[in-house]
Amino acid sequence: MPSMYDAIIVGGGINGGSIAYSLAKRGKKVLLLEKDRLGSKSSNAAAGMLAAQAELNEDGPLFQLAKKSRAMFPLLAEEIKELSGIDIELVNKGMYKIALSEEEEHQYKQIIDIQRQTGELAEWITGEEVRRREPSLSEAITGAVYIEKDGQVSAPKLTLGFLKAAAALGVEIKEYTEVLSFHVEKGKIAGVKTNSGNFESETVIVAGGAWSQKILSEADVKLKTYPVKGECFSVLTHQPLINGTIFSHGCYLVPKKGGRLLVGATVKPNTFDQTVTVDGIGSLMEKAKKIVPSIVNAEWEKAWAGIRPQTSDSLPYLGEHPNYKGLFIATGHFRNGILLSPITGEMISNLIDGESTPIDLTAFRIDRHVRTIV
Ligand code: FAD
Ligand code: GLY
């Protein structure tokens, strides 16, 4: 008997949502299973920066993937608005990667050279010029790389936008449904077992973020992944303190709609603990005050934490399980899962349909250093 679903997606974060949306656009019958509420984990905690150039310094497979994904946002914003009514708040006012020492200045100028060689726009501007453009910035800033194309979105809205657009195209979504193990027949995936019943499909995609390894151990595969906690806070002002995103080593400030300013983020490896700590937020506040001194007068809004999915070589896993045909994996997006979400959906759909991908995915293969348990 044919399965009810062309594909089952495990995980209702931004990557599960993007894959669901991409498959639905291809006319597939898709079921998405989320163990908690949709978009309640890392994707809800993210700052939404599309920092292909600010966060990735070197040319290589991840940089190529990130640039391609960043270019997909303008069209995606329109599609999601039309299908779901959700405005993902795409802003293209550029990003300032600021230097606070001569050493950083020297390092950033080298990065400009590398990025220009790859055809990207990146410009060094002096401290005076940065403050002319962004008058709230402090005298401690010696200069900045101005990156015109690194924009930002609302990560929670993009996550929900993907999921609601996918639902509008017919994707079935079940919350509070945890996938516990897989149903495998003769080396091929046949479905999933959950806390509320079994579901059949010859294609299953695991997009469970930092929790992917837990479920994948049921499929005899051990990925080299680990969780990395990040804490953030936000404040409110009547007049925006900054217009562009300010990115520095250890602290970034992202201006959001309605006078909100998001400040992130701490980096604490090897924990699933999502507690917001005085130490974490305190250290971020100190860094933020050095960059924008007048932040001390802003109204406190809130603080939160999320768990990033990281891998041992800092590259995501995007591909098919080496032994179980039909089981696909999309995880390990670490600090760039929002940026990489559109391309992740498209690439996984390409692989499922046996098509060639616009970018060579060899570097992201599942078996690059996987230990199969059996
Ligand atoms: P998640 O959002 O964690 O979603 C995975 C989902 O799978 C969860 O909802 C989980 O409940 C579900 N799940 C897991 N196991 C199961 C199971 N067995 N059954 C059913 N459901 C399951 N990235 C950027 O690009 N730009 C940024 O500015 C940025 N800022 C960040 C700031 C912070 C503080 C943090 C923490 C992250 C940031 N990131 C940013 C990274 C980004 O948030 C992540 O890379 C991305 O959200 C990962 O998305 P995901 O869908 O893979 O995982
Ligand atoms: N990309 C920003 C972060 O992960 O904190």
Side-chain angles (χ1 to χ4, degrees):
M1 203 177 79
S3 303
M4 229 181 122
Y5 300 104
D6 296 321
I8 294 174
I9 298 169
V10 184
I14 200 155
N15 285 307
S18 171
I19 295 163
Y21 174 60
S22 179
L23 289 174
K25 282 208 296 184
R26 293 168 178 232
K28 309 263 189 210
K29 178 105 183 77
V30 178
L31 172 66
L32 182 141
L33 303 171
E34 165 56 49
K35 69 176 173 172
D36 199 316
R37 297 301 311 263
L38 291 176
S40 59
K41 297 293 188 297
S42 192
S43 304
N44 198 44
M49 293 180 293
L50 309 178
Q53 288 174 251
E55 290 210 55
L56 305 171
N57 298 331
E58 291 166 16
D59 195 11
L62 187 56
F63 192 52
Q64 296 301 326
L65 200 69
K67 286 195 299 177
K68 191 121 192 132
S69 201
R70 184 181 62 182
M72 293 168 77
F73 276 85
L75 181 60
L76 181 68
E78 283 176 26
E79 287 176 3
I80 287 183
K81 181 85 205 265
E82 197 174 317
L83 279 164
S84 70
I86 293 173
D87 175 5
I88 67 167
E89 297 175 14
L90 174 64
V91 175
N92 278 316
K93 289 190 180 159
M95 205 168 290
Y96 296 90
K97 183 167 177 164
I98 55 166
L100 292 159
S101 66
E102 272 185 28
E103 196 188 332
E104 275 185 342
E105 191 171 325
H106 178 68
Q107 191 193 346
Y108 292 175
K109 283 178 177 168
Q110 286 181 329
I111 293 170
I112 290 180
D113 288 343
I114 295 169
Q115 295 197 343
R116 282 189 173 165
Q117 279 163 24
T118 70
E120 291 307 304
L121 298 172
E123 174 197 3
W124 178 257
I125 54 175
T126 62
E128 289 70 42
E129 177 59 15
V130 185
R131 280 180 289 279
R132 195 188 62 74
R133 297 187 195 184
E134 298 285 356
S136 298
L137 294 193
S138 85
E139 292 289 331
I141 295 158
T142 66
V145 186
Y146 177 63
I147 305 162
E148 193 183 314
K149 285 197 182 168
D150 276 359
Q152 54 129 330
V153 294
S154 159
K157 289 197 175 159
L158 176 58
T159 305
L160 210 59
F162 269 131
L163 290 157
K164 295 288 179 190
L169 294 173
V171 171
E172 202 179 315
I173 294 174
K174 291 184 191 293
E175 290 179 298
Y176 298 115
T177 306
E178 180 170 6
V179 174
L180 302 172
S181 62
F182 302 97
H183 180 198
V184 179
E185 281 171 5
K186 295 180 188 154
K188 284 187 186 170
I189 201 83
V192 296
K193 298 172 188 175
T194 80
N195 57 356
S196 48
N198 299 341
F199 300 95
E200 287 179 17
S201 178
E202 289 174 4
T203 302
V204 172
I205 306 107
V206 174
W211 296 266
S212 299
Q213 179 49 54
K214 186 168 173 243
I215 177 68
L216 284 167
S217 60
E218 296 295 323
D220 300 332
V221 72
K222 174 123 184 66
L223 302 178
K224 291 198 171 179
T225 60
Y226 59 96
V228 181
K229 177 182 177 180
E231 291 170 71
C232 294
F233 71 90
S234 58
V235 296
L236 302 168
T237 57
H238 295 304
Q239 306 295 335
L241 289 176
I242 50 174
N243 297 301
T245 295
I246 309 299
F247 187 93
S248 86
H249 184 68
C251 179
Y252 49 75
L253 299 100
V254 191
K256 298 290 179 183
K257 256 190 164 175
R260 280 185 80 220
L261 181 63
L262 188 158
V263 182
T266 60
V267 178
K268 187 174 182 193
N270 300 313
T271 179
F272 281 100
D273 178 352
Q274 291 183 60
T275 315
V276 177
T277 63
V278 172
D279 185 34
I281 299 303
S283 72
L284 274 182
M285 279 182 178
E286 286 310 312
K287 288 175 186 158
K289 279 195 281 185
K290 278 195 189 121
I291 299 168
V292 178
S294 57
I295 197 172
V296 291
N297 300 317
E299 181 184 348
W300 175 259
E301 192 194 32
K302 59 181 176 176
W304 63 93
I307 306 296
R308 308 173 181 93
Q310 174 61 312
T311 65
S312 63
D313 59 5
S314 302
L315 298 176
Y317 287 106
L318 301 170
E320 193 170 11
H321 186 290
N323 301 331
Y324 293 3
K325 196 171 160 21
L327 178 58
F328 293 83
I329 298 166
T331 189
H333 296 71
F334 190 39
R335 301 195 78 160
N336 298 295
I338 308 304
L339 167 66
L340 296 172
S341 59
I343 197 89
T344 295
E346 192 169 305
M347 295 288 213
I348 294 292
S349 300
N350 288 151
L351 292 176
I352 289 170
D353 282 343
E355 297 168 359
S356 61
T357 52
I359 287 188
D360 181 7
L361 289 181
T362 308
F364 310 108
R365 283 172 68 104
I366 308 306
D367 59 2
R368 64 186 189 266
H369 42 44
V370 137
R371 275 198 297 123
T372 46
I373 293 168
V374 283

